[in-house]
Amino acid sequence: MEFNRQSRRHGGVFWRLFFALVSLSAIAIAVLTWLFSNAYEDLLWRHVRDTLRATAAASGELLAEQWPGQPSPILQANVAAAADRASVRLTLISSDGRVLADSGQESVGPVRQMENHGNRPEIVAALRSGEGSARRPSPTLAERLLYVAVRVGDEQRPLGVVRAAAPLAPIEAEIIGVRRWLYAISALLAVASAAIAYWIARRVADPVRELSEAARALVGGEYGRRLAIAVPSHADADEVAAAAVALHDIGKRLARSERQLRNTSQTQATILDCMTESVIAVDSSEHILFANAAAGRSLGFDPARVNGRTLLEAIRSHELRDLLRQAIAGRKPARGELTSRVKPPGVFDVLATPLAGDPPAGVVLVLRDISELKRLERMRQQFIANVSHELKTPLSSIRAYAETLRNGAASDPVHGPRFLERIDEQAGRLEELILDMLNLARIEAGQTPLKLVDVPLAGFVKRCIADFETQAAAKQISISVAVEDALAVHADEKALRQVLGNLVDNAVKYTPAGGRVAIRACRDGERVLLEVEDTGPGIPPAHHARLFERFYRVDNARSRQLGGTGLGLAIVKHLTQAMGGSVALESQVGVGSVFMICLPAGKLPPSG
Ligand code: ADP
């Protein structure tokens, strides 16, 4: 189990290094053991041989003066004693090979029986060169011996040979013993060197493994991993430590870059999501890469779910797809318009800009909602048509009357003045229309400076309706006022006069003879509610929503006949709103209408 864990932990570098070190040390130990064992063996043999040579040589020197010719008991005893002292076997051999004495024999008797030693290799060598040695079994003693023979006398007249011999068995036993020790020490050394190799391999491989794991962690996006490698602060840090420092720095830089990148992309995403324009990025194969929140809202999809889908799948607009292809094919921005039918429907100005690359890597589509612009454009056209129409009618009348006058009616005492009166009437109508339009334009452009003051309402309303008394009396219309004395509004006096004037004018104008007009005002919290009620024809509910638009009339012919411009209620609405108020209408066909103005309440100046 432990081995498995370790082998999983250590990588290739460790095992390669470990085996290399172990093999190296094993070879070194084997060679050293072999050399030492051989040297020791040589030394031992040389020592034994030297000892034997010295003993033989010393004995030879002693006997050189009176070299025995024959074996004798005295000689045998002396040789045996000398051999015993030197712990060797001594043999005296005559130059013709006869054995003269041998410490290996009990007495002189067996010596005489001994075979001729003249052909023994060590004797042959000694007689020839002064010294000879051999390692072989002794035929006499039946054991293996090391023989060293030394010649006595010179080469021309040799007296004989003294031979010293020692048994091989103890020497070989010692050699075997020493070898055993050597092998045991070698084994210990091998174990120790394996441990050292393991330690060295770990010291080298562990940091390398750490580095590779840290590098792998970097690849996996784990930038904050701390390296366990001890990094010396001084300049002579080794390569691994330097690599660790570099890797650590890379990690820190990568983390910083990733943080910056994340911040930037978050900022960009936030900006893109806050944009009112829809932004869609599409790759060259028309798959959506990104879409912002506005795009999802305008085109009816979930921006988080469209990534990877094709533009046509997500938006189902062939116009948009064609524009995208046009931008890619033309390698330049393409512009177009898109009408979206999703809720709420809208019109978009689309700019398709190809991304860099040839062919372009994709396209960025920016959609600007121009529905409001289109509506305003439509309104403008409608307004021009309305204005032209409004101006055309009185002008046509003026031209017709002028034509009639020129054709002779001018001298007609009855029709002449009547036609001139009509011309004046139509010119007055034109003037009124133009003044109303100018007025409205000024209010809308904010060019009518409003001076908001606290206006006491009771007196103001009375003064205002005084202008309509003649008109009302002519139609037998009664105008009643019910305004509390203690009521004031915060408003511009001139504007309020125009608002109230327009409403009362309409009420008197559209109420049939004998009807009633009532003006009421009451407080409603912080506001004042001013109502103009009439018993006129009433206005069908279908017209309520558009009644305050310019030139909107319920009954065109009747309005014109009564001298209306179609702008009165539009002026009422704009002025009231400019003063911080609102308008409303309640009406029932055949019963009458109530126009309600709600304005901020004002304070009355202290009376007295
Ligand atoms: P006009 O100059 O035609 O009166 P206004 O903007 O003042 O233009 O009014 C718009 C239309 O609203 C009128 O043409 C008329 O049809 C209708 N209207 C306004 N006031 C009343 C009312 N008190 N009773 C019935 N209809 C009214």
Side-chain angles (χ1 to χ4, degrees):
M1 277 304 280
E2 181 62 18
F3 175 76
N4 277 342
R5 202 176 67 79
Q6 287 287 319
S7 63
R8 223 181 14 251
R9 257 174 51 114
H10 296 305
V13 172
F14 171 83
W15 288 116
R16 274 200 297 278
L17 201 62
F18 178 68
F19 282 124
L21 288 172
V22 165
S23 312
L24 255 176
S25 49
I27 291 168
I29 289 167
V31 169
L32 280 175
T33 308
W34 181 78
L35 283 176
F36 191 78
S37 150
N38 276 6
Y40 178 75
E41 227 174 291
D42 276 2
L43 202 71
L44 193 64
W45 285 123
R46 210 178 306 135
H47 173 70
V48 173
R49 210 176 284 126
D50 286 352
T51 311
L52 290 176
R53 189 189 301 117
T55 310
S59 304
E61 269 171 36
L62 279 174
L63 292 169
E65 295 300 313
Q66 333 156 354
W67 184 255
Q70 292 296 326
S72 68
I74 295 168
L75 180 67
Q76 175 66 21
N78 286 342
V79 167
D84 201 32
R85 275 198 302 276
S87 302
V88 296
R89 176 185 164 198
L90 271 177
T91 311
L92 248 64
I93 297 139
S94 67
S95 56
D96 55 5
R98 279 177 301 116
V99 177
L100 299 174
D102 182 15
S103 65
Q105 303 298 335
E106 298 272 310
S107 62
V108 77
V111 173
R112 287 198 182 100
Q113 307 292 309
M114 287 173 79
E115 62 174 326
N116 189 294
H117 275 42
N119 59 350
R120 298 285 200 271
E122 69 276 7
I123 306 296
V124 175
L127 286 173
R128 199 174 51 233
S129 61
E131 189 185 320
S133 75
R135 241 185 270 179
R136 58 181 177 74
S138 157
T140 319
L141 298 180
E143 66 174 329
R144 293 181 69 244
L145 293 176
L146 170 65
Y147 297 98
V148 177
V150 176
R151 186 182 65 203
V152 183
D154 53 30
E155 197 184 343
Q156 279 75 36
R157 283 189 306 111
L159 294 172
V161 172
V162 178
R163 189 181 72 175
L168 282 175
I171 301 165
E172 283 173 347
E174 189 178 336
I175 288 173
I176 287 167
V178 167
R179 269 196 199 140
R180 271 203 198 112
W181 269 107
L182 266 179
Y183 292 153
I185 290 167
S186 303
L188 277 177
L189 273 177
V191 170
S193 66
I196 292 168
Y198 180 85
W199 181 76
I200 292 173
R202 268 199 67 173
R203 265 191 74 98
V204 175
D206 279 2
V208 174
R209 197 194 64 235
E210 269 275 328
L211 277 183
S212 85
E213 280 173 7
R216 229 172 290 146
L218 278 186
V219 172
E222 197 190 323
Y223 306 128
R225 189 190 173 112
R226 284 219 69 81
L227 284 164
I229 302 167
V231 178
S233 53
H234 50 82
D236 58 327
D238 69 15
E239 293 88 337
V240 174
V245 172
L247 210 63
H248 196 248
D249 283 353
I250 290 171
K252 278 207 290 197
R253 274 188 208 183
L254 277 177
R256 201 167 44 234
S257 308
E258 202 201 48
R259 228 177 11 253
Q260 280 169 352
L261 214 63
R262 208 181 307 124
N263 285 347
T264 313
S265 67
Q266 265 170 6
T267 313
Q268 281 174 354
T270 312
I271 293 170
L272 284 167
D273 274 346
C274 292
M275 278 172 70
T276 47
E277 281 92 353
S278 307
V279 180
I280 304 168
V282 182
D283 67 13
S284 54
S285 59
E286 298 178 11
H287 285 86
I288 295 178
L289 300 170
F290 168 83
N292 71 349
R297 275 195 305 273
S298 310
L299 302 170
F301 61 79
D302 180 359
R305 295 199 176 173
V306 290
N307 283 16
R309 288 171 65 194
T310 64
L311 186 74
L312 206 58
E313 263 171 28
I315 297 167
R316 309 216 162 274
S317 162
H318 289 271
E319 293 150 282
L320 209 58
R321 204 250 336 250
D322 292 347
L323 209 66
L324 162 97
R325 289 186 176 173
Q326 195 184 324
I328 290 186
R331 283 150 174 71
K332 60 177 196 279
R335 195 158 218 137
E337 229 172 75
L338 167 75
T339 309
S340 158
R341 276 165 282 278
V342 295
K343 295 230 174 298
V347 186
F348 297 91
D349 170 54
V350 187
L351 178 67
T353 311
L355 295 173
D358 195 18
V363 172
V364 174
L365 297 158
V366 179
L367 287 82
R368 195 163 54 93
D369 191 344
I370 51 166
S371 315
E372 183 62 15
L373 259 171
K374 288 273 170 190
R375 193 182 69 79
L376 290 174
E377 176 69 15
R378 252 193 329 274
M379 271 178 68
R380 194 178 62 84
Q381 284 166 357
Q382 209 176 349
F383 176 75
I384 291 169
N386 283 336
V387 170
S388 318
H389 186 73
E390 294 299 325
L391 293 175
K392 210 177 110 200
T393 318
L395 272 175
S396 306
S397 300
I398 291 170
R399 283 197 66 179
Y401 289 127
E403 187 80 20
T404 318
L405 284 172
R406 206 171 49 221
N407 289 344
S411 51
D412 188 319
V414 183
H415 291 103
R418 224 183 67 215
F419 286 166
L420 278 173
E421 210 175 292
R422 291 278 183 277
I423 287 175
D424 186 48
E425 207 174 87
Q426 291 301 326
R429 206 170 128 64
L430 262 183
E431 190 187 12
E432 205 177 317
L433 187 69
I434 288 163
L435 282 177
D436 269 0
M437 281 190 336
L438 277 174
N439 223 342
L440 198 58
R442 273 200 213 105
I443 299 165
E444 273 190 311
Q447 285 172 357
T448 310
L450 296 177
K451 203 172 137 222
L452 298 176
V453 292
D454 293 329
V455 184
L457 213 49
F460 177 82
V461 172
K462 278 193 188 112
R463 279 197 302 282
C464 205
I465 60 162
D467 302 342
F468 299 95
E469 266 164 6
T470 334
Q471 202 181 329
K475 285 173 80 178
Q476 293 99 44
I477 291 173
S478 68
I479 301 180
S480 63
V481 179
V483 180
E484 292 167 31
D485 281 342
L487 216 53
V489 286
H490 192 66
D492 177 273
E493 242 180 287
K494 213 172 139 201
L496 187 61
R497 179 183 289 271
Q498 198 169 358
V499 167
L500 192 60
N502 281 4
L503 291 178
V504 176
D505 181 44
N506 278 352
V508 174
K509 213 159 56 178
Y510 294 109
T511 303
R516 286 191 313 277
V517 173
I519 298 156
R520 289 187 297 271
C522 63
R523 179 115 189 192
D524 180 16
E526 288 300 299
R527 308 183 81 79
V528 167
L529 196 63
L530 179 63
E531 293 179 351
V532 178
E533 186 179 9
D534 63 53
T535 55
I539 301 159
H543 298 280
H544 289 199
R546 300 193 57 195
L547 198 70
F548 292 90
E549 282 178 18
R550 272 172 287 214
F551 300 116
Y552 192 84
R553 294 181 174 104
V554 177
D555 181 344
N556 258 325
R558 187 160 165 68
S559 162
R560 287 214 183 83
Q561 183 204 335
L562 293 171
T565 59
L567 294 171
L569 288 181
I571 293 173
V572 167
K573 186 180 109 179
H574 279 99
L575 280 179
T576 313
Q577 284 177 346
M579 291 188 289
S582 59
V583 287
L585 162 69
E586 271 176 18
S587 183
Q588 218 179 326
V589 179
V591 178
S593 313
V594 188
F595 285 87
M596 290 163 285
I597 303 290
C598 189
L599 283 167
K603 289 189 203 71
L604 272 187
S607 54

